[in-house]
Amino acid sequence: MQHATAVRPGFANCLSLGVAALLVAAPTYARPTEQSAEDRQIALAVSLLMEKQHISQKRIDDQASERCLESMLKSLDPLKLFFYQSDVDEFSRNKHELDDQVRGGSIRMAYKIFERFMERVDERIDIALEQVNAEHDFTLKEEMIRDADAAKYAKTPEEAKDKWRRRVKYEMLTFIADDMEPSEAREKLTRRYTSIRKRWDQTSNDELLEMYLTAMTTGFDPHSTYMSPSTLDNFEIQMRLKLDGIGASLRSEDGYTKVHQIIAGGAADEDGRLKEGDEIIGVGQGDDGEIEDIVDMKLNDVVSKIRGERGSIVRLEVRPVDNPKDLQVYKLVRQEIKLTESEARSEIVEWGTKPNGQPYRVGVIALPSFYMDMDAARAGDPNYKSTTRDVRRLLKDFNAKGVDAVMVDLRFNGGGSLTEAVNMTGLFIDKGPVVQVKGPDGRAQRFEDPESGMVWSGPLVVLTNKFSASASEIFAGAMQDYNRGLIVGDDATHGKGTVQQLYDVAQLLFRINKDMNMGAMKLTIQQFYRPDGASTQNKGVVSDVVIPSLTSHLDVGESDLDYALAFDKIGSLSHDEYQMVDSNMVSQLRESSKARIAKSEDFAKDIKRINKFEEQKDRKTVTLNKAEFLAEREELDADKEQEDAFEEAVSNDRPVFDMEDHYNQEALSILIDYLMLLKNNRVAIGR
């Protein structure tokens, strides 16, 4: 199965609760010490695939070895808070040997690095806990380095202690800025640092293997990764949009597992007792299984305990958010959960005024991803879940209800199935090429609209932002090349123009469909190009009309990633020109939008916020002086702004289209201007 998926920016500490194909025994928390025979087999398979199938056709060599070491250290210690410089120097003496080791099936360097890292974690967390209870002078004019590239590893114990003194002081300031009492702040920080140590202590061999092999493979490009068995399970759940479980998503916060969202129609929703914000502190299996304490347990392990076979019972010990002193035990029956919040959804909204005095009716489709139930499709299920099927149904409904225009919202859509991107594009064009795909041999393969005719032939606006990636860019790029629709949003999309293939490691090793999960290799095997020949790689799809937004200024694009492949072009393909968009029309739309935005108080606030964000983002340090810190936080907290944007990128609980949002209102106003220009230009718009 090919995918045009992007690595979704966001947080790994928020997961949906569902079922794994098999229930995994409770993990034992011993730190990884040596590789297994299975680790060796997987390392051999991954190295073989990289050299034979990756689009670059490069060998795993000394350059890949250096990049592997750099990436591994960055994964473990991105802010350079734990390792000493002497540790890094010691590891670097072997920086040209890692390639030879992996190609021979050895990942012993991963264990050496991780063992040293855990020694440093123990030392540094002890320092942090001391500093939590120390007195800090918040009147001093001092700073903490916040930029990972500007940070340096400590050379001495004294430097390490000072790093952590400043780190704890900074964390204390963030709590003070939120009006938290010092005693509560100390309590929370004690929990936080204790939890950090415990979570690293729970690292499994599979997780270490995934981290290390991915450090090696991402030296080729950012999207080639090894997926451990649990990561593969979660990936497949997201693609098929259904799972068995209680119907809730969880997040980890300072060692506690909290309910992030209740999924409509699930077991928890129907039961009604579990609420957002509740803390789950224990899990028991069946009617009378012992309730196991899950405080400080890694979120992945918590999820594996709560997921289970449909019809089975799980008991949750809960600290309710509205009555934390009254612990409760809720018994729930696991059932199939359909992740409807992640599928295409629609709404018809009214905006503007027609010459007859009636409002324009706009059909909005919110599309969080390009999904397909791969297992059902392979099994020949005629009703398998897919993006194209759902969008076709929504468009037919729009046709029946006589909407004046359609808006496809691809903001925060990180990609998905290449097949679905091609097929969905075909709903908006009559015929012709949608995307070109070039592999290692340099030959380009064209992917055509599989069906003649259009389901929607009227005016189209596509909303994008910097989080719109891969499959989203295939659709948006085709709409732009065909002059079929108007692209509105951030300056450009994410810029991921590569295609990945999933390789089942067990099948590769044993050449048969072994009933076992050894994970999978997600490997970049092709690069895709628009019908006109330009790649979206690095540059993305440039918007016709830009609306000011903070997301456009975040460092989340392909060009911000390490070792991203370069932009290039190939020959264009002959295709229809729908003349629904032209340069003169785009110029007029831009000017009208700029004039509205210039008069908007809401956008004036946005632009001020963006400018302040840029100013703070570029700083290498943050002040630890209380008065200065609070003054800056009063204006803007750049870290919080970026965190909120990432949270929105992975959230599935957004409304289809918030009509109170001034950004959305401007997008609708651009669409209405567009309709008027189409009418004035007398472009034939049939439906």
Side-chain angles (χ1 to χ4, degrees), residues 664-682:
N664 290 347
Q665 292 175 357
E666 176 56 28
L668 286 171
S669 295
I670 292 169
L671 185 149
I672 302 306
D673 287 347
Y674 175 47
L675 288 177
M676 295 173 65
L677 288 174
L678 283 172
K679 182 179 180 181
N680 293 339
N681 290 350
R682 297 181 180 178

Side-chain angles (χ1 to χ4, degrees), residues 122-297:
D122 287 336
E123 295 168 3
R124 304 297 183 255
I125 296 304
D126 285 345
I127 293 172
L129 294 175
E130 289 176 7
Q131 291 300 316
V132 167
N133 294 307
E135 292 297 325
H136 296 277
D137 186 350
F138 294 105
T139 65
L140 295 177
K141 294 275 189 176
E142 63 178 354
E143 297 176 320
M144 182 192 76
I145 295 176
R146 55 174 290 179
D147 183 82
D149 293 330
K152 297 183 183 303
Y153 295 106
K155 294 181 178 179
T156 66
E158 290 74 25
E159 285 185 19
K161 183 173 182 178
D162 189 62
K163 267 180 173 281
W164 278 93
R165 178 187 66 79
R166 292 171 190 258
R167 185 74 199 176
V168 172
K169 189 174 182 179
Y170 168 74
E171 300 266 22
M172 291 285 289
L173 273 175
T174 61
F175 287 139
I176 290 172
D178 293 332
D179 297 323
M180 189 179 294
E181 291 295 323
S183 59
E184 185 181 356
R186 289 191 177 94
E187 182 181 343
K188 284 184 71 70
L189 285 178
T190 298
R191 286 269 342 130
R192 177 173 298 177
Y193 295 134
T194 301
S195 179
I196 288 172
R197 172 157 41 199
K198 288 183 178 180
R199 287 202 305 273
W200 279 116
D201 265 330
Q202 296 168 25
T203 303
S204 68
N205 283 49
D206 279 354
E207 290 169 323
L208 181 58
L209 179 68
E210 178 179 88
M211 189 187 308
Y212 188 67
L213 291 181
T214 293
M216 180 67 75
T217 58
T218 51
F220 285 66
D221 82 282
H223 308 292
S224 291
T225 63
Y226 168 68
M227 304 167 74
S228 69
S230 61
T231 301
L232 178 60
D233 284 340
N234 284 319
F235 175 81
E236 290 178 340
I237 284 169
Q238 291 302 316
M239 290 302 292
R240 63 178 178 260
L241 296 191
K242 64 181 180 181
L243 64 162
D244 290 351
I246 65 169
S249 63
L250 305 180
R251 64 184 301 157
S252 180
E253 186 176 308
D254 297 336
Y256 291 105
T257 297
K258 292 192 174 183
V259 178
H260 178 61
Q261 179 188 358
I262 302 296
I263 298 172
D269 182 43
E270 292 179 359
D271 179 83
R273 289 176 293 176
L274 196 65
K275 307 293 185 185
E276 292 182 12
D278 286 354
E279 290 179 358
I280 301 174
I281 61 175
V283 179
Q285 306 300 330
D287 283 313
D288 53 8
E290 180 183 357
I291 291 182
E292 181 179 359
D293 182 12
I294 63 165
V295 175
D296 289 323
M297 187 179 290

Side-chain angles (χ1 to χ4, degrees), residues 177-468:
D178 293 332
D179 297 323
M180 189 179 294
E181 291 295 323
S183 59
E184 185 181 356
R186 289 191 177 94
E187 182 181 343
K188 284 184 71 70
L189 285 178
T190 298
R191 286 269 342 130
R192 177 173 298 177
Y193 295 134
T194 301
S195 179
I196 288 172
R197 172 157 41 199
K198 288 183 178 180
R199 287 202 305 273
W200 279 116
D201 265 330
Q202 296 168 25
T203 303
S204 68
N205 283 49
D206 279 354
E207 290 169 323
L208 181 58
L209 179 68
E210 178 179 88
M211 189 187 308
Y212 188 67
L213 291 181
T214 293
M216 180 67 75
T217 58
T218 51
F220 285 66
D221 82 282
H223 308 292
S224 291
T225 63
Y226 168 68
M227 304 167 74
S228 69
S230 61
T231 301
L232 178 60
D233 284 340
N234 284 319
F235 175 81
E236 290 178 340
I237 284 169
Q238 291 302 316
M239 290 302 292
R240 63 178 178 260
L241 296 191
K242 64 181 180 181
L243 64 162
D244 290 351
I246 65 169
S249 63
L250 305 180
R251 64 184 301 157
S252 180
E253 186 176 308
D254 297 336
Y256 291 105
T257 297
K258 292 192 174 183
V259 178
H260 178 61
Q261 179 188 358
I262 302 296
I263 298 172
D269 182 43
E270 292 179 359
D271 179 83
R273 289 176 293 176
L274 196 65
K275 307 293 185 185
E276 292 182 12
D278 286 354
E279 290 179 358
I280 301 174
I281 61 175
V283 179
Q285 306 300 330
D287 283 313
D288 53 8
E290 180 183 357
I291 291 182
E292 181 179 359
D293 182 12
I294 63 165
V295 175
D296 289 323
M297 187 179 290
K298 287 185 310 179
L299 191 61
N300 276 336
D301 293 334
V302 174
V303 168
S304 72
K305 292 179 180 300
I306 300 179
R307 286 179 182 170
E309 294 178 347
R310 194 180 317 175
S312 63
I313 291 172
V314 63
R315 295 182 355 269
L316 307 179
E317 186 175 13
V318 176
R319 182 179 289 123
V321 64
D322 54 0
N323 191 8
K325 292 184 179 180
D326 184 21
L327 296 184
Q328 299 288 325
V329 175
Y330 303 152
K331 183 170 76 171
L332 299 171
V333 178
R334 299 174 176 110
Q335 63 185 40
E336 181 178 88
I337 310 298
K338 293 184 178 179
L339 305 179
T340 55
E341 297 300 310
S342 296
E343 67 185 22
R345 297 178 294 154
S346 70
E347 183 177 347
I348 295 176
V349 301
E350 296 183 345
W351 193 255
T353 307
K354 296 180 184 179
N356 65 4
Q358 297 295 315
Y360 288 95
R361 288 165 53 79
V362 179
V364 179
I365 295 177
L367 188 63
S369 68
F370 286 82
Y371 50 86
M372 181 173 68
D373 187 340
M374 295 176 286
D375 290 338
R378 283 193 291 262
D381 182 349
N383 298 312
Y384 69 87
K385 191 70 177 172
S386 86
T387 303
T388 306
R389 291 168 182 266
D390 289 345
V391 172
R392 182 190 299 273
R393 171 177 49 80
L394 298 177
L395 291 175
K396 286 183 176 180
D397 183 62
F398 289 162
N399 280 323
K401 294 177 178 176
V403 301
D404 299 292
V406 166
M407 179 180 289
V408 176
D409 189 350
L410 298 180
R411 289 174 294 178
F412 301 107
N413 184 321
S417 166
L418 171 64
T419 300
E420 290 303 313
V422 172
N423 293 348
M424 194 187 102
T425 300
L427 304 178
F428 297 87
I429 63 173
D430 179 26
K431 63 182 184 304
V434 174
V435 66
Q436 306 181 69
V437 178
K438 185 178 74 174
D441 60 4
R443 291 183 294 179
Q445 176 186 3
R446 57 195 286 165
F447 285 73
E448 300 261 348
D449 174 6
E451 296 181 10
S452 61
M454 295 185 239
V455 178
W456 174 258
S457 59
L460 173 69
V461 168
V462 182
L463 276 183
T464 62
N465 66 10
K466 206 171 182 180
F467 289 91
S468 305

